[in-house]
Amino acid sequence: MAWQADADLAPLTTFAVPARAQWLCRIDQEDELPAALQQADDRDLTVTILGGGSNMLLHADVPGLVVRMQLAGIRHQADPADTDAVLVTVAAGENWHQLVEYCLRQGWYGLENLALIPGSVGAAPVQNIGAYGVELADTLVSIRYFDTQTVQVRELDRDECQFAYRDSIFKRTLKNTAIILSCTFRLSRTPRAVVTYPALLQYPGASADMSPQQVFDAVCAIRRSKLPDPAKLGNAGSFFRNPVISADACAALQQRWPDIPVFAITSATTSATTTSATAATTDVKIPAAWLIDQAGWKGVRRGAVGVHGQQALVLVNYGGGTGQQILDLATEIVSSVQHTFGVRLQPEVCIVPAPPGGL
Ligand code: EPU
């Protein structure tokens, strides 16, 4: 396990912005991790964990050690509690979309709506990835992680992960101390399509009895039509989270902007449907894309960076842009949306190094 000095990180994140790591090491086997962390500790180096780099904005060089998790392997076993289910355990470095395709080919269903999400399996639980009416928490059973405080491998079941909309314990109390090693999912051998999300329902030929393959194909087509392919255009998907606000605050916004789309939050998970948001006691989710779009940002360019023309929630690097330029653009958008709607956008991507005072 060699360490590389002054390593180029641009090819390791999907924004493809220039940044260098003081040190980079790649972890291919679980037992290499404790030694790497110990060496970093001995040398007083901060540690930054990198998965697929698809949800990270690097706006400066990264001091210390960057650890790239490349653990590979997919195992499965019957679920003793449910003959219809299969338990699939996946190493952190596996590619998420390839996992979705693999499970579909095996006839293990439940991940189809999460097709084409860039990134690695180990990064997926951190922000509880979600799309088209399904989120990771719906099928996740448990997570094994390396605890850097106790220097032990530990396991959390689904409830202990404290999943919520784009949120988990790994962004909170375990932030910077847990390194995810593998995830176990419970998938179904019986096809069950989730066709609840508006954009999926509106897809030509969509129906409640679509096959998992049809859902997969539809999700891929929808994503390709509005989300830029990071291999061609640098981006990290949604740059901001959809704000969660009180129904009262939402009703006030609706007075002024009656067309604002509103999504109910049905549980700790995000399965959402359009709602009139009349209940005064519940929180609702409003689309950041709509706020940014209405504030006039869609398609706006600032030199080599800009706001995507098909999805206002996606910031892009047209080539040659820097992380600082993207951060500056994001900062302008936050101020503008705050000024227009009184709503403070929060980043969904992980900004490294963390900007002092936040975004
Ligand atoms: N909208 C606009 N302008 C736009 C784009 C969208 O007004 O430029 C409006 C749409 O009309 C729609 C609403 O915003 O009413 C929601 O749009 P969309 O269905 O495209 O979803 P989103 O809320 O923008 C979220 C996730 C995506 C996920 C999609 C589909 C977050 C932060 N983003 O986007 O996740 O693919 O739903 O489920 O929750 C990601 O996390 O990187 C990501 C791409």
Side-chain angles (χ1 to χ4, degrees):
M1 184 205 25
W3 287 26
Q4 191 187 340
D6 189 30
D8 183 10
L9 295 177
L12 301 185
T13 71
T14 57
F15 258 128
V17 288
R20 305 195 78 82
Q22 186 183 356
W23 295 100
L24 172 71
C25 87
R26 297 166 192 266
I27 298 291
D28 298 303
Q29 306 290 336
E30 277 189 18
D31 57 10
E32 295 170 347
L33 188 59
L37 297 175
Q38 184 61 53
Q39 279 184 52
D41 198 42
D42 293 346
R43 294 157 75 167
D44 244 350
L45 298 173
T46 55
V47 174
T48 302
I49 304 295
L50 185 60
S54 61
N55 203 46
M56 188 176 272
L57 175 66
L58 301 176
H59 66 99
D61 291 341
V62 185
L65 176 68
V66 173
V67 174
R68 179 124 202 273
M69 296 299 283
Q70 303 187 157
L71 306 174
I74 303 176
R75 291 182 287 116
H76 73 281
Q77 61 182 99
D79 181 352
D82 181 353
T83 50
D84 181 52
V86 57
L87 297 172
V88 185
T89 299
V90 192
E94 291 285 345
N95 173 274
W96 177 265
H97 178 67
Q98 284 168 12
L99 171 70
V100 175
E101 283 182 314
Y102 175 81
C103 292
L104 189 58
R105 275 201 307 276
Q106 305 301 313
W108 305 334
Y109 306 118
L111 301 180
E112 311 71 56
N113 299 54
L114 303 176
L116 270 193
I117 296 181
S120 66
V121 169
V126 177
Q127 55 152 329
N128 184 21
I129 58 168
Y132 303 101
V134 170
E135 61 184 11
L136 175 119
D138 296 337
T139 50
L140 188 113
V141 177
S142 61
I143 289 180
R144 282 176 61 254
Y145 70 96
F146 186 83
D147 183 333
T148 59
Q149 302 289 95
T150 60
V151 197
Q152 275 174 344
V153 175
R154 305 180 84 97
E155 186 160 334
L156 291 182
D157 67 25
R158 184 201 120 114
D159 288 346
E160 290 169 322
C161 291
Q162 300 173 11
F163 288 123
Y165 167 61
R166 291 297 196 275
D167 200 17
S168 75
I169 193 168
F170 303 104
K171 280 188 159 184
R172 295 175 178 271
T173 45
L174 295 185
K175 190 172 177 175
N176 299 329
T177 62
I179 301 174
I180 294 174
L181 301 171
S182 65
C183 303
T184 298
F185 301 91
R186 179 179 288 112
L187 302 179
S188 166
R189 294 180 193 275
T190 306
R192 275 188 217 109
V194 179
V195 189
T196 52
Y197 194 83
L200 191 52
L201 279 167
Q202 286 153 17
Y203 188 75
S207 69
D209 57 3
M210 281 166 97
S211 70
Q213 181 68 52
Q214 286 170 320
V215 170
F216 174 91
D217 291 342
V219 167
C220 289
I222 296 168
R223 288 189 77 98
R224 287 196 174 106
S225 72
K226 48 182 157 185
L227 294 171
D229 177 355
K232 297 184 182 135
L233 192 59
N235 77 92
S238 301
F239 193 91
F240 300 100
R241 289 202 249 178
N242 286 331
V244 174
I245 61 172
S246 72
D248 286 346
C250 180
L253 281 175
Q254 282 178 309
Q255 291 275 317
R256 209 158 150 209
W257 291 278
D259 295 337
I260 188 168
V262 182
F263 295 89
I265 301 169
T266 50
S267 66
T269 57
T270 57
S271 36
T273 48
T274 307
T275 171
S276 61
T278 45
T281 50
T282 47
D283 285 347
V284 296
K285 204 164 59 163
I286 52 174
W290 188 89
L291 301 172
I292 298 167
D293 196 346
Q294 295 297 309
W297 286 97
K298 194 164 175 171
V300 168
R301 269 185 88 141
R302 290 273 189 272
V305 305
V307 180
H308 189 50
Q310 267 77 53
Q311 224 303 3
L313 198 45
V314 178
L315 304 190
V316 293
N317 173 14
Y318 288 101
T322 65
Q324 188 58 50
Q325 287 169 333
I326 290 168
L327 191 57
D328 291 345
L329 175 61
T331 307
E332 262 194 272
I333 292 171
V334 170
S335 306
S336 158
V337 167
Q338 169 97 52
H339 178 75
T340 309
F341 298 101
V343 175
R344 180 103 194 148
L345 293 178
Q346 300 292 340
E348 199 225 68
V349 298
C350 181
I351 301 173
V352 175
L359 186 61

Short mmCIF file of all heavy atoms in Angstrom, two decimals, residues 127 130-133 165-166 197 199 223 226-227 236-238 240-242 261 263 287 289-290 293 298 310-313 348, ligand 1:
data_model
loop_
_atom_site.label_atom_id
_atom_site.label_comp_id
_atom_site.label_asym_id
_atom_site.label_seq_id
_atom_site.Cartn_x
_atom_site.Cartn_y
_atom_site.Cartn_z
N GLN A 127 -25.33 9.97 2.60
CA GLN A 127 -26.41 10.94 2.31
C GLN A 127 -27.72 10.22 2.00
O GLN A 127 -28.66 10.85 1.51
CB GLN A 127 -25.99 11.85 1.16
CG GLN A 127 -25.59 11.11 -0.09
CD GLN A 127 -25.84 11.92 -1.33
OE1 GLN A 127 -26.75 12.73 -1.38
NE2 GLN A 127 -25.03 11.71 -2.35
N GLY A 130 -31.26 8.93 -2.84
CA GLY A 130 -32.66 8.69 -3.15
C GLY A 130 -32.99 9.24 -4.52
O GLY A 130 -32.38 10.22 -4.96
N ALA A 131 -33.91 8.59 -5.21
CA ALA A 131 -34.37 9.10 -6.49
C ALA A 131 -35.64 8.37 -6.91
O ALA A 131 -35.80 7.18 -6.62
CB ALA A 131 -33.30 8.93 -7.57
N TYR A 132 -36.54 9.10 -7.55
CA TYR A 132 -37.73 8.53 -8.18
C TYR A 132 -38.53 7.64 -7.22
O TYR A 132 -38.98 6.55 -7.57
CB TYR A 132 -37.36 7.83 -9.51
CG TYR A 132 -36.68 8.84 -10.39
CD1 TYR A 132 -35.29 8.87 -10.53
CD2 TYR A 132 -37.41 9.86 -10.97
CE1 TYR A 132 -34.66 9.87 -11.24
CE2 TYR A 132 -36.79 10.87 -11.69
CZ TYR A 132 -35.42 10.87 -11.81
OH TYR A 132 -34.81 11.88 -12.51
N GLY A 133 -38.70 8.14 -5.99
CA GLY A 133 -39.62 7.49 -5.04
C GLY A 133 -39.00 6.42 -4.17
O GLY A 133 -39.70 5.79 -3.38
N TYR A 165 -34.13 12.34 5.07
CA TYR A 165 -33.91 12.87 3.72
C TYR A 165 -32.46 13.35 3.56
O TYR A 165 -32.05 14.26 4.25
CB TYR A 165 -34.90 14.01 3.44
CG TYR A 165 -34.55 14.81 2.22
CD1 TYR A 165 -34.50 14.21 0.96
CD2 TYR A 165 -34.22 16.15 2.31
CE1 TYR A 165 -34.14 14.93 -0.16
CE2 TYR A 165 -33.87 16.88 1.20
CZ TYR A 165 -33.83 16.26 -0.03
OH TYR A 165 -33.46 16.97 -1.14
N ARG A 166 -31.72 12.69 2.70
CA ARG A 166 -30.31 13.01 2.42
C ARG A 166 -29.49 13.16 3.71
O ARG A 166 -28.62 14.03 3.82
CB ARG A 166 -30.19 14.31 1.60
CG ARG A 166 -30.71 14.19 0.19
CD ARG A 166 -29.89 13.20 -0.61
NE ARG A 166 -30.11 13.33 -2.03
CZ ARG A 166 -31.11 12.76 -2.71
NH1 ARG A 166 -31.96 11.97 -2.09
NH2 ARG A 166 -31.22 12.95 -4.01
N TYR A 197 -43.35 8.43 -8.10
CA TYR A 197 -42.73 9.76 -8.28
C TYR A 197 -43.30 10.42 -9.54
O TYR A 197 -43.39 9.77 -10.60
CB TYR A 197 -41.22 9.60 -8.39
CG TYR A 197 -40.46 10.90 -8.24
CD1 TYR A 197 -40.17 11.42 -6.99
CD2 TYR A 197 -40.06 11.62 -9.36
CE1 TYR A 197 -39.49 12.62 -6.85
CE2 TYR A 197 -39.37 12.82 -9.24
CZ TYR A 197 -39.09 13.31 -7.98
OH TYR A 197 -38.41 14.50 -7.84
N ALA A 199 -42.31 12.38 -11.96
CA ALA A 199 -41.60 12.29 -13.26
C ALA A 199 -41.64 10.86 -13.81
O ALA A 199 -41.63 10.66 -15.03
CB ALA A 199 -40.15 12.75 -13.09
N ARG A 223 -33.19 10.29 -16.32
CA ARG A 223 -31.95 10.90 -15.82
C ARG A 223 -31.10 11.41 -16.97
O ARG A 223 -30.54 12.50 -16.91
CB ARG A 223 -31.15 9.89 -14.98
CG ARG A 223 -31.76 9.59 -13.63
CD ARG A 223 -30.82 8.78 -12.77
NE ARG A 223 -29.76 9.58 -12.22
CZ ARG A 223 -29.76 10.09 -10.97
NH1 ARG A 223 -30.76 9.85 -10.16
NH2 ARG A 223 -28.77 10.82 -10.55
N LYS A 226 -32.20 14.82 -18.39
CA LYS A 226 -32.01 16.12 -17.70
C LYS A 226 -30.75 16.25 -16.87
O LYS A 226 -30.38 17.35 -16.50
CB LYS A 226 -33.24 16.53 -16.90
CG LYS A 226 -33.86 15.51 -16.01
CD LYS A 226 -35.08 16.16 -15.37
CE LYS A 226 -36.09 15.16 -14.89
NZ LYS A 226 -37.28 15.75 -14.38
N LEU A 227 -30.11 15.13 -16.56
CA LEU A 227 -28.91 15.24 -15.74
C LEU A 227 -27.67 15.00 -16.61
O LEU A 227 -27.63 14.03 -17.36
CB LEU A 227 -28.96 14.22 -14.60
CG LEU A 227 -30.07 14.44 -13.56
CD1 LEU A 227 -30.17 13.26 -12.61
CD2 LEU A 227 -29.83 15.73 -12.79
N ALA A 236 -21.74 17.21 -9.91
CA ALA A 236 -21.90 16.29 -8.77
C ALA A 236 -23.37 16.08 -8.47
O ALA A 236 -23.79 15.99 -7.32
CB ALA A 236 -21.16 16.83 -7.55
N GLY A 237 -24.20 16.02 -9.52
CA GLY A 237 -25.64 15.85 -9.31
C GLY A 237 -26.22 17.09 -8.63
O GLY A 237 -25.73 18.21 -8.83
N SER A 238 -27.24 16.87 -7.82
CA SER A 238 -27.86 18.01 -7.12
C SER A 238 -26.81 18.67 -6.23
O SER A 238 -26.23 18.01 -5.38
CB SER A 238 -29.01 17.53 -6.24
OG SER A 238 -29.98 16.87 -7.00
N PHE A 240 -27.53 21.29 -4.18
CA PHE A 240 -28.18 21.66 -2.92
C PHE A 240 -29.22 20.61 -2.54
O PHE A 240 -29.73 19.89 -3.40
CB PHE A 240 -28.90 23.01 -3.06
CG PHE A 240 -27.98 24.14 -3.43
CD1 PHE A 240 -27.88 24.59 -4.75
CD2 PHE A 240 -27.20 24.76 -2.47
CE1 PHE A 240 -27.03 25.64 -5.08
CE2 PHE A 240 -26.35 25.81 -2.79
CZ PHE A 240 -26.25 26.24 -4.11
N ARG A 241 -29.53 20.56 -1.24
CA ARG A 241 -30.63 19.72 -0.79
C ARG A 241 -31.94 20.46 -1.04
O ARG A 241 -31.96 21.69 -1.05
CB ARG A 241 -30.54 19.50 0.72
CG ARG A 241 -29.42 18.61 1.09
CD ARG A 241 -29.72 18.02 2.46
NE ARG A 241 -28.82 18.55 3.45
CZ ARG A 241 -28.90 18.21 4.74
NH1 ARG A 241 -29.83 17.41 5.16
NH2 ARG A 241 -28.03 18.70 5.59
N ASN A 242 -33.02 19.72 -1.20
CA ASN A 242 -34.33 20.37 -1.25
C ASN A 242 -34.67 20.84 0.16
O ASN A 242 -34.66 20.03 1.10
CB ASN A 242 -35.39 19.39 -1.77
CG ASN A 242 -35.25 19.15 -3.26
OD1 ASN A 242 -34.80 20.02 -4.01
ND2 ASN A 242 -35.63 17.96 -3.71
N PRO A 261 -44.01 23.97 -6.40
CA PRO A 261 -44.30 22.57 -6.13
C PRO A 261 -43.95 22.23 -4.67
O PRO A 261 -42.98 22.75 -4.13
CB PRO A 261 -43.38 21.80 -7.09
CG PRO A 261 -42.80 22.82 -8.02
CD PRO A 261 -42.86 24.13 -7.30
N PHE A 263 -43.74 18.92 -1.77
CA PHE A 263 -43.74 17.47 -1.59
C PHE A 263 -43.93 17.15 -0.12
O PHE A 263 -43.30 17.76 0.75
CB PHE A 263 -42.41 16.87 -2.07
CG PHE A 263 -42.20 17.02 -3.55
CD1 PHE A 263 -41.57 18.13 -4.06
CD2 PHE A 263 -42.66 16.04 -4.42
CE1 PHE A 263 -41.39 18.28 -5.43
CE2 PHE A 263 -42.48 16.18 -5.79
CZ PHE A 263 -41.84 17.30 -6.29
N PRO A 287 -38.82 22.05 -3.86
CA PRO A 287 -37.67 21.78 -4.72
C PRO A 287 -36.73 22.97 -4.84
O PRO A 287 -37.12 24.04 -5.31
CB PRO A 287 -38.28 21.42 -6.08
CG PRO A 287 -39.73 21.58 -5.96
CD PRO A 287 -40.08 22.13 -4.62
N ALA A 289 -34.54 23.16 -6.99
CA ALA A 289 -34.43 23.43 -8.44
C ALA A 289 -35.43 24.51 -8.86
O ALA A 289 -35.11 25.38 -9.67
CB ALA A 289 -34.68 22.15 -9.23
N TRP A 290 -36.63 24.43 -8.30
CA TRP A 290 -37.67 25.41 -8.67
C TRP A 290 -37.27 26.80 -8.18
O TRP A 290 -37.38 27.79 -8.90
CB TRP A 290 -39.02 24.97 -8.08
CG TRP A 290 -40.19 25.78 -8.54
CD1 TRP A 290 -40.96 25.55 -9.64
CD2 TRP A 290 -40.70 26.98 -7.94
NE1 TRP A 290 -41.93 26.51 -9.76
CE2 TRP A 290 -41.80 27.41 -8.72
CE3 TRP A 290 -40.35 27.72 -6.82
CZ2 TRP A 290 -42.54 28.54 -8.41
CZ3 TRP A 290 -41.08 28.87 -6.51
CH2 TRP A 290 -42.17 29.27 -7.30
N ASP A 293 -34.40 28.07 -10.29
CA ASP A 293 -34.93 28.35 -11.63
C ASP A 293 -35.70 29.67 -11.63
O ASP A 293 -35.44 30.58 -12.44
CB ASP A 293 -35.85 27.16 -12.00
CG ASP A 293 -36.16 27.10 -13.48
OD1 ASP A 293 -35.91 28.09 -14.17
OD2 ASP A 293 -36.67 26.05 -13.92
N LYS A 298 -31.18 29.33 -14.05
CA LYS A 298 -31.05 28.16 -14.93
C LYS A 298 -30.28 28.54 -16.20
O LYS A 298 -30.62 29.52 -16.88
CB LYS A 298 -32.43 27.64 -15.31
CG LYS A 298 -32.44 26.27 -15.93
CD LYS A 298 -33.86 25.74 -15.87
CE LYS A 298 -34.03 24.44 -16.55
NZ LYS A 298 -35.36 23.88 -16.28
N GLN A 310 -30.74 22.13 -18.17
CA GLN A 310 -31.91 21.24 -18.06
C GLN A 310 -32.34 20.99 -16.62
O GLN A 310 -33.43 20.50 -16.37
CB GLN A 310 -31.61 19.87 -18.68
CG GLN A 310 -31.99 19.72 -20.14
CD GLN A 310 -30.99 20.40 -21.02
OE1 GLN A 310 -29.81 20.16 -20.91
NE2 GLN A 310 -31.49 21.29 -21.86
N GLN A 311 -31.47 21.26 -15.66
CA GLN A 311 -31.80 21.01 -14.25
C GLN A 311 -31.07 22.06 -13.42
O GLN A 311 -29.86 22.03 -13.29
CB GLN A 311 -31.33 19.60 -13.84
CG GLN A 311 -32.30 18.76 -13.01
CD GLN A 311 -32.77 19.39 -11.69
OE1 GLN A 311 -32.45 20.52 -11.34
NE2 GLN A 311 -33.58 18.64 -10.96
N ALA A 312 -31.86 22.99 -12.85
CA ALA A 312 -31.26 24.14 -12.18
C ALA A 312 -30.53 23.77 -10.88
O ALA A 312 -29.83 24.59 -10.32
CB ALA A 312 -32.35 25.18 -11.88
N LEU A 313 -30.71 22.53 -10.43
CA LEU A 313 -30.07 22.11 -9.17
C LEU A 313 -28.65 21.60 -9.40
O LEU A 313 -27.93 21.29 -8.45
CB LEU A 313 -30.94 21.00 -8.55
CG LEU A 313 -30.80 20.64 -7.10
CD1 LEU A 313 -30.72 21.86 -6.21
CD2 LEU A 313 -31.94 19.74 -6.66
N GLU A 348 -25.82 19.98 -0.79
CA GLU A 348 -25.94 18.53 -0.68
C GLU A 348 -24.57 17.88 -0.87
O GLU A 348 -24.27 16.86 -0.29
CB GLU A 348 -26.92 18.01 -1.74
CG GLU A 348 -27.45 16.63 -1.41
CD GLU A 348 -27.46 15.70 -2.57
OE1 GLU A 348 -26.36 15.33 -3.03
OE2 GLU A 348 -28.54 15.33 -3.01
N1 EPU B 1 -37.81 22.00 -11.40
C1 EPU B 1 -37.73 23.30 -11.83
N2 EPU B 1 -36.63 23.67 -12.57
C2 EPU B 1 -35.65 22.79 -12.90
C3 EPU B 1 -35.75 21.43 -12.48
C4 EPU B 1 -36.85 21.07 -11.70
O1 EPU B 1 -38.59 24.11 -11.55
O2 EPU B 1 -34.69 23.20 -13.56
C5 EPU B 1 -38.97 21.57 -10.59
C6 EPU B 1 -39.73 20.47 -11.33
O3 EPU B 1 -40.73 21.04 -12.11
C7 EPU B 1 -40.28 19.63 -10.23
C8 EPU B 1 -39.33 19.84 -9.09
O4 EPU B 1 -38.51 20.96 -9.40
O5 EPU B 1 -41.53 20.08 -9.81
C9 EPU B 1 -38.52 18.61 -8.77
O6 EPU B 1 -37.65 18.32 -9.85
P1 EPU B 1 -37.03 16.88 -10.09
O7 EPU B 1 -38.11 15.85 -10.17
O8 EPU B 1 -36.09 16.98 -11.24
O9 EPU B 1 -36.26 16.53 -8.75
P2 EPU B 1 -35.32 17.38 -7.77
O10 EPU B 1 -36.08 17.64 -6.52
O11 EPU B 1 -34.74 18.56 -8.46
C10 EPU B 1 -34.44 15.23 -6.56
C11 EPU B 1 -33.10 14.71 -6.13
C12 EPU B 1 -32.37 14.11 -7.31
C13 EPU B 1 -33.22 12.96 -7.85
C14 EPU B 1 -34.59 13.52 -8.27
C15 EPU B 1 -35.54 12.43 -8.69
C16 EPU B 1 -32.44 16.09 -4.24
C17 EPU B 1 -31.52 17.17 -3.75
N3 EPU B 1 -32.33 15.79 -5.54
O12 EPU B 1 -34.18 16.29 -7.47
O13 EPU B 1 -31.15 13.56 -6.82
O14 EPU B 1 -32.60 12.35 -8.98
O15 EPU B 1 -35.21 14.19 -7.13
O16 EPU B 1 -35.94 11.70 -7.58
O17 EPU B 1 -33.21 15.55 -3.47
C18 EPU B 1 -28.84 14.01 -6.48
O18 EPU B 1 -29.07 13.86 -5.27
O19 EPU B 1 -27.69 14.26 -6.90
C19 EPU B 1 -29.95 13.90 -7.43
C20 EPU B 1 -29.80 14.12 -8.73
#
